[in-house]
Amino acid sequence: GSVAAYAVWTQVYRSFRGEHRTRVRAEFELRLPPTEGFRVMCDPKVLNETTPWWFHIVIRERSANAVADLAGLVDRQVSDARRGSKRRAGADDPEGLEALADARADLRISYWIFFAKIFPVPWTSAVGPVDEPEPGRYRMAYQQASGPYSSFVHTHIVRRSGVVTQGDALCHVEDTIEASVFGEPVLNCACAVLLTLILRCR
């Protein structure tokens, strides 16, 4: 039937072309300094407030400690950046760096994803990296550890914006998702439409 034909098509495509991934991106400004904008974008508790009415994210109770740990990681990253800390380069506080790396390696957050408040989908994200790859440019990524995709990476990058409004400096946010459902382009293109609608609500 159609399911078998789709399975064959997917296998043939991946055999010749490898896994297909779709990539969607949204860019916008927040009326916040970059460090505060980074804190907001890294807070899982505000995810549901920035999604369409038909898409809901509920953090599971068992992940409460992981959410608090993530807030601590972000605070540490921002504090180090403000002090011009050498920790980013590993020249200072090696024990702190090692503890931070261990925390990131174990940090996973579980959710229920609801479509139209009816259909629940379990999802677990592995958090990382949480870092500052360039001075003043902050990055945090969620990678699907378990869920409906074969691969899914959602990355936030926050930096100072060149736009100034009424004397207030803004921060610029780049919100990028790279994902694959079964590794072929047909379903991935449909998925890209859905993901674009979600990102545009930010």
Side-chain angles (χ1 to χ4, degrees):
S2 57
V3 174
Y6 177 77
V8 171
W9 148 249
T10 300
Q11 184 62 40
V12 170
Y13 181 92
R14 296 187 65 160
S15 296
F16 284 93
R17 303 293 297 272
E19 183 177 20
H20 177 276
R21 292 182 176 88
T22 191
R23 189 171 188 267
V24 298
R25 181 175 178 176
E27 298 188 44
F28 52 92
E29 258 64 30
L30 293 176
R31 194 183 295 275
L32 292 169
T35 52
E36 295 308 310
F38 185 57
R39 280 194 172 100
V40 169
M41 295 305 300
C42 291
D43 187 353
K45 297 190 297 296
V46 303
L47 283 174
N48 193 56
E49 299 175 15
T50 59
T51 58
W53 65 268
W54 43 265
F55 186 85
H56 294 272
I57 301 172
V58 178
I59 300 172
R60 302 176 75 171
E61 290 184 6
R62 69 187 187 194
S63 293
N65 290 338
V67 171
D69 290 344
L70 174 57
L73 285 174
V74 172
D75 284 342
R76 173 75 176 272
Q77 184 64 60
V78 168
S79 297
D80 287 353
R82 282 177 170 170
R83 292 195 303 266
S85 172
K86 297 179 182 178
R87 290 192 183 100
R88 285 197 307 267
D92 191 19
D93 192 18
E95 292 184 0
L97 267 181
E98 185 176 345
L100 209 58
D102 288 345
R104 282 197 290 260
D106 296 334
L107 193 54
R108 298 192 173 206
I109 300 175
S110 295
Y111 319 83
W112 286 109
I113 307 293
F114 287 89
F115 290 90
K117 297 184 180 182
I118 298 174
F119 306 104
V121 178
W123 189 305
T124 299
S125 293
V127 179
V130 180
D131 61 4
E132 187 184 4
E134 301 171 10
R137 184 173 180 265
Y138 305 97
R139 174 178 63 180
M140 195 273 280
Y142 296 104
Q143 303 183 52
Q144 177 190 276
S146 63
Y149 292 86
S150 62
S151 65
F152 186 98
V153 181
H154 187 180
T155 304
H156 307 301
I157 293 179
V158 182
R159 58 177 172 79
R160 181 173 293 279
S161 172
V163 178
V164 177
T165 304
Q166 297 179 347
D168 295 328
L170 308 178
C171 67
H172 183 81
V173 178
E174 299 172 20
D175 215 2
T176 305
I177 295 175
E178 185 171 307
S180 177
V181 184
F182 294 121
E184 54 79 35
V186 175
L187 194 54
N188 281 353
C189 288
C191 176
V193 174
L194 176 67
L195 294 175
T196 299
L197 290 173
I198 293 171
L199 286 187
R200 284 182 176 174
C201 287
R202 299 211 148 210

